[in-house]
């Protein structure tokens, strides 16, 4: 973790430009770094404006990549992604339209294999108990109730043990 020592405005700009050149970051993350470096508000604003104007940082681009990565690699649902973006101080006006672009079918396609795998290893006394355990699992992954209901009540979730996955 970085130490909280003061840096000049020019040093901060160079560090953040180098950081943004290596990977995607959002303005919220950069603003947190600037605060830890104890730069005044005007300097923070100038640095962020420069980085935005020169396309080092773009919250929409960051958000689009973040959503894709969390869906593809972490298998997160919409709510969990929303919470992570909120924690990174990404403006809801930026994240909401990008999350709205993802269709219910895409969320279901992401959730169904997770539920199938979970169902295979489930120990439950009844179908109701199994469904409640699957629902709890899906909610913990950040999926919305409409997507969970659509996946739980679809025929594709009922799997045969003979079927290869």
């Amino acid at each position: 973790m970085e130490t909280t020592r003061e840096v000049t405005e020019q040093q901060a700009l160079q560090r953040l430009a180098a950081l943004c050149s290596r990977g995607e970051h959002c303005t919220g993350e950069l603003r947190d770094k600037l605060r830890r470096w104890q730069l005044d508000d005007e300097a923070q604003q100038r640095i962020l404006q420069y980085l935005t104007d020169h396309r080092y940082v773009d919250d929409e681009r960051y958000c689009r990549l973040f959503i894709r990565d969390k869906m593809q690699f972490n298998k997160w649902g919409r709510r969990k992604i929303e919470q992570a973006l909120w924690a990174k101080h990404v403006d809801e006006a930026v994240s909401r339209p990008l999350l709205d672009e993802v269709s219910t079918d895409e969320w279901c396609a992401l959730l169904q294999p997770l539920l199938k795998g979970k169902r295979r290893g489930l120990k439950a006394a009844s179908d109701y108990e199994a469904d409640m355990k699957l629902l709890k699992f899906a909610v913990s992954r950040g999926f919305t109730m409409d997507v969970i209901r659509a996946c739980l009540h679809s025929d594709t979730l009922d799997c045969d043990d003979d079927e290869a996955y």
Side-chain angles (χ1 to χ4, degrees):
M1 188 163 168
E2 297 177 20
T3 59
T4 54
R5 64 181 183 95
E6 288 189 40
V7 296
T8 66
E9 185 174 340
Q10 190 60 35
Q11 288 172 324
L13 178 60
Q14 289 172 346
R15 285 183 188 179
L16 292 181
L19 179 71
C20 291
S21 295
R22 290 190 302 269
E24 285 296 327
H25 296 276
C26 63
T27 54
E29 292 173 327
L30 301 181
R31 189 169 277 118
D32 288 344
K33 283 189 178 298
L34 290 168
R35 277 192 212 109
R36 281 196 306 265
W37 292 338
Q38 300 172 356
L39 281 152
D40 62 90
D41 290 339
E42 290 97 27
Q44 288 180 28
Q45 203 54 36
R46 282 191 300 271
I47 290 170
L48 289 173
Q49 190 63 49
Y50 176 87
L51 294 171
T52 303
D53 290 347
H54 290 84
R55 308 267 306 147
Y56 282 99
V57 65
D58 180 351
D59 280 350
E60 184 176 336
R61 181 180 66 209
Y62 172 81
C63 193
R64 193 174 298 281
L65 293 170
F66 186 87
I67 291 168
R68 188 194 69 202
D69 284 354
K70 294 305 175 189
M71 286 178 69
Q72 185 177 359
F73 300 115
N74 297 62
K75 309 294 188 218
W76 284 3
R78 180 184 174 112
R79 297 288 176 235
K80 195 161 186 170
I81 294 172
E82 282 176 342
Q83 288 175 341
L85 289 169
W86 177 82
K88 290 180 174 289
H89 309 291
V90 174
D91 189 8
E92 192 175 329
V94 174
S95 64
R96 184 174 301 274
L98 296 174
L99 283 163
D100 288 343
E101 287 177 9
V102 182
S103 70
T104 303
D105 290 340
E106 290 176 86
W107 292 117
C108 279
L110 184 65
L111 179 58
Q112 279 184 328
L114 294 173
L115 290 177
K116 280 184 183 180
K118 187 72 173 173
R119 179 165 287 212
R120 272 190 245 119
L122 253 171
K123 291 180 178 44
S126 66
D127 286 343
Y128 175 78
E129 186 181 345
D131 283 350
M132 289 302 103
K133 286 182 177 186
L134 290 173
L135 180 114
K136 185 177 177 182
F137 169 74
V139 167
S140 75
R141 300 298 293 217
F143 289 92
T144 57
M145 287 305 295
D146 58 329
V147 171
I148 296 169
R149 266 190 234 106
C151 290
L152 281 177
H153 299 298
S154 73
D155 294 333
T156 58
L157 194 58
D158 297 326
C159 54
D160 298 333
D161 290 343
D162 300 341
E163 214 172 302
Y165 291 102

